[in-house]
Amino acid sequence: WQSHSCAYDTEESCLINESGDRVDLLSRFLVQAGENVADEMNLSSHEIMIVRPSATSAMAPNTPGSLVQPLAQTIKGPWKGDSSRNKSPATSDETNDGIAPLCRSEKNKIVQKVQLSEDMLENPEPHVADIYAAASRYLKKNRLLEANHLFITVLDCQRKAHGELHEDVGAALHNVGLVHLRANEYGEALAYFERAVRVRKGSLGREHPEVAVSQVKVGITLLLMHSFDLALQAFLDALSIRKRALGDLHASNAAIYCNIGCVHVEFNELRDARRAFEAALDIQRNALYHEPDSGPVMFGTATTLCNLGYLYRYRGMHQKVAMVLKEALSLQEGVLGKTHPTVVTTMDSFADALSMCGGCSQALRYYSEILSRLEYVVDISNRRQAEAVILYKMSRAHRKQNDVEAEVDKLMKALHAVRGTGVATPSEKKRKEQLERHILADIRRSREELEQMEL
């Protein structure tokens, strides 16, 4: 087994989101930016689940941005493209969306793009490769109804050709599960992934790497369903299979360790979470040493570093937060470019950490850089809201430097920005009103201080 290479990489790397309350996939965010962006970025081999750690939701420490909505909630798509991106976080394998190949023996075969016809769908068996290719394209573009219909057709064809207990049937079950996972239909997704595990165990053997691939998806789905005990066991089972099949230091083990760490966060087992993240990071650093320009490895390493940053932040270790987020930021920029929302959000957290550990001058430089990058936000309302958040944080950094005049200047600009923000939902309106109240209160206090200084 040690010489067997995994056919495709489909693990999601869980990312702790200390500020949001949604559980979602980054691939869905990319669709908001337009299908062309989703196709270009193609992040799905490392889909990131934005997980709210409920176990620690009430324990987040006070930060420079704790009075306002996080920047991550304001910089919604679409964004203009960034031509500086020079690496893809996806692998070169055609299955880099986590889509199982139609047939393992032909996993690298390139299928020409063919327009499907009604005749092909009425008699699908001779055209199953074309139907599979079309389903894969629809899934990448998040056209889930079409993808589901075509993947179900592929599944029926594979069952007719091979019977129920065949590796290609297992792959087809896995793909249908992917569609339901993207559609947030977790019950259906779990059923398909569990069936894929059973079929793959029966056809390939209990310790085959592709069994672990579907087992990880079982864990992902259970985590999204908040069945944390079962999710942890699924991840541990997948890790055990992967270690025996590919070795302890195989790069794909890192994503499983990262997911295990996120489950421990849910249980408030922060020491175990840190150990899991550090185990993932050790593997990823080893992989980076051998493949320093690998987009998937860089992106996965950045995810793990961000998770460690969350744990350090909770413990008030802001210098360590700044250290790991600085490295994560560099890796993300190398993969995604400088203006991607994920990169800008990481830079915001990095600047927050600098401000908290006394590096206000550096923090201000990064906040200014964020403002320049917000020009790539197409939606003006979202841009103004994000600008208001950053300007308010800059005012707090100036206050720490005892520069009251600069503080008032940033507060006035923040007030202008927040009043130019449109709102679409009651929650957005509430956040806007809260931010405006804080800005006005700080303006009054700062002006009183300036008057006292003049006297």
Side-chain angles (χ1 to χ4, degrees):
W1 282 114
Q2 293 296 327
S3 63
H4 188 102
S5 60
C6 192
Y8 52 99
D9 177 16
T10 64
E11 281 75 59
E12 283 94 351
S13 299
C14 296
L15 176 65
I16 300 171
N17 179 15
E18 64 217 70
S19 56
D21 56 4
R22 291 185 63 198
V23 178
D24 208 343
L25 296 178
L26 182 59
S27 58
R28 295 181 64 79
F29 175 81
L30 291 176
V31 172
Q32 296 178 11
E35 290 182 354
N36 59 327
V37 178
D39 286 340
E40 279 187 21
M41 301 306 300
N42 206 358
L43 287 179
S44 314
S45 64
H46 287 274
E47 288 174 338
I48 298 179
M49 294 196 304
I50 310 301
V51 179
R52 172 63 171 177
S54 56
T56 59
S57 61
M59 302 184 297
N62 192 25
T63 66
S66 61
L67 294 178
V68 298
Q69 67 271 34
L71 187 64
Q73 294 183 8
T74 67
I75 51 173
K76 303 172 184 177
W79 283 53
K80 301 175 186 176
D82 179 9
S83 59
S84 65
R85 180 178 58 85
N86 54 19
K87 297 181 181 70
S88 171
T91 64
S92 58
D93 194 307
E94 67 176 306
T95 59
N96 54 26
D97 259 19
I99 302 171
L102 176 68
C103 176
R104 290 181 64 246
S105 62
E106 299 181 359
K107 65 174 184 174
N108 294 318
K109 181 179 178 181
I110 298 176
V111 180
Q112 298 296 326
K113 186 174 181 179
V114 176
Q115 186 70 32
L116 296 183
S117 65
E118 291 185 7
D119 292 338
M120 294 170 68
L121 294 177
E122 289 176 359
N123 183 30
E125 285 82 1
H127 310 287
V128 65
D130 294 324
I131 295 172
Y132 165 85
S136 301
R137 291 193 297 271
Y138 282 133
L139 182 58
K140 290 178 182 179
K141 295 180 179 181
N142 225 46
R143 294 173 60 177
L144 301 181
L145 288 176
E146 296 98 326
N148 185 61
H149 173 69
L150 294 180
F151 275 132
I152 288 290
T153 302
V154 172
L155 175 59
D156 292 340
C157 291
Q158 298 289 39
R159 281 172 167 160
K160 290 179 181 178
H162 306 295
E164 185 64 36
L165 194 64
H166 191 275
E167 60 195 56
D168 294 342
V169 175
L173 287 165
H174 182 96
N175 290 338
V176 178
L178 285 178
V179 180
H180 288 290
L181 182 61
R182 292 279 187 90
N184 300 327
E185 297 170 349
Y186 303 133
E188 289 290 323
L190 180 61
Y192 276 103
F193 289 137
E194 288 179 334
R195 289 162 64 190
V197 169
R198 290 195 295 270
V199 171
R200 286 177 154 177
K201 282 182 178 179
S203 59
L204 297 170
R206 300 182 67 85
E207 296 185 0
H208 193 281
E210 291 181 9
V211 175
V213 165
S214 293
Q215 188 69 34
V216 168
K217 291 295 187 184
V218 170
I220 291 289
T221 309
L222 288 167
L223 183 55
L224 288 165
M225 297 171 73
H226 292 187
S227 297
F228 301 123
D229 286 311
L230 295 175
L232 180 59
Q233 188 57 54
F235 289 137
L236 291 173
D237 290 345
L239 181 62
S240 177
I241 294 170
R242 187 63 56 78
K243 281 184 173 182
R244 290 195 295 269
L246 302 173
D248 290 347
L249 291 179
H250 193 273
S252 61
N253 292 340
I256 304 180
Y257 273 118
C258 196
N259 294 347
I260 289 171
C262 286
V263 177
H264 284 304
V265 170
E266 294 287 354
F267 288 131
N268 198 26
E269 299 168 345
L270 302 187
R271 181 174 297 179
D272 290 332
R274 188 195 68 196
R275 289 171 180 163
F277 293 143
E278 289 175 346
L281 193 58
D282 287 342
I283 294 171
Q284 289 161 333
R285 290 199 190 285
N286 179 69
L288 276 176
Y289 177 79
H290 292 93
E291 298 180 84
D293 294 324
S294 169
V297 176
M298 293 169 66
F299 191 73
T301 305
T303 299
T304 304
L305 288 164
C306 289
N307 284 339
L308 277 171
Y310 171 81
L311 295 184
Y312 292 145
R313 177 179 174 179
Y314 166 68
R315 297 182 62 186
M317 304 165 67
H318 299 293
Q319 288 185 334
K320 284 195 171 184
V321 176
M323 179 182 67
V324 296
L325 290 185
K326 182 178 182 179
E327 184 179 359
L329 179 63
S330 175
L331 291 168
Q332 287 178 349
E333 286 183 339
V335 178
L336 301 174
K338 293 186 176 182
T339 60
H340 191 275
T342 299
V343 175
V344 177
T345 301
T346 300
M347 181 176 288
D348 174 59
S349 298
F350 175 46
D352 289 349
L354 289 171
S355 180
M356 289 297 292
C357 66
C360 291
S361 297
Q362 286 182 288
L364 286 167
R365 287 199 295 272
Y366 280 101
Y367 286 138
S368 296
E369 176 64 21
I370 292 171
L371 288 176
S372 67
R373 297 187 186 189
L374 289 177
E375 296 177 3
Y376 288 84
V377 180
V378 174
D379 188 295
I380 295 177
S381 178
N382 286 335
R383 184 194 311 167
R384 298 295 286 172
Q385 191 174 6
E387 287 173 351
V389 171
I390 295 302
L391 287 166
Y392 182 64
K393 290 183 177 184
M394 294 178 78
S395 75
R396 293 168 68 92
H398 283 303
R399 181 166 185 80
K400 290 183 178 181
Q401 295 178 318
N402 295 319
D403 189 344
V404 183
E405 291 185 359
E407 179 189 6
V408 172
D409 176 66
K410 293 299 187 297
L411 287 170
M412 295 303 296
K413 291 179 179 178
L415 183 62
H416 177 73
V418 76
R419 286 179 172 174
T421 300
V423 292
T425 65
S427 61
E428 289 178 352
K429 181 180 180 181
K430 182 179 179 179
R431 288 197 297 267
K432 175 184 175 181
E433 292 173 348
Q434 181 188 35
L435 176 57
E436 187 171 350
R437 285 197 303 270
H438 286 300
I439 293 172
L440 289 171
D442 285 0
I443 289 174
R444 287 193 296 270
R445 186 201 64 239
S446 299
R447 283 179 170 172
E448 289 174 359
E449 291 179 358
L450 284 176
E451 291 174 359
Q452 292 177 358
M453 291 169 61
E454 291 175 358
L455 291 175

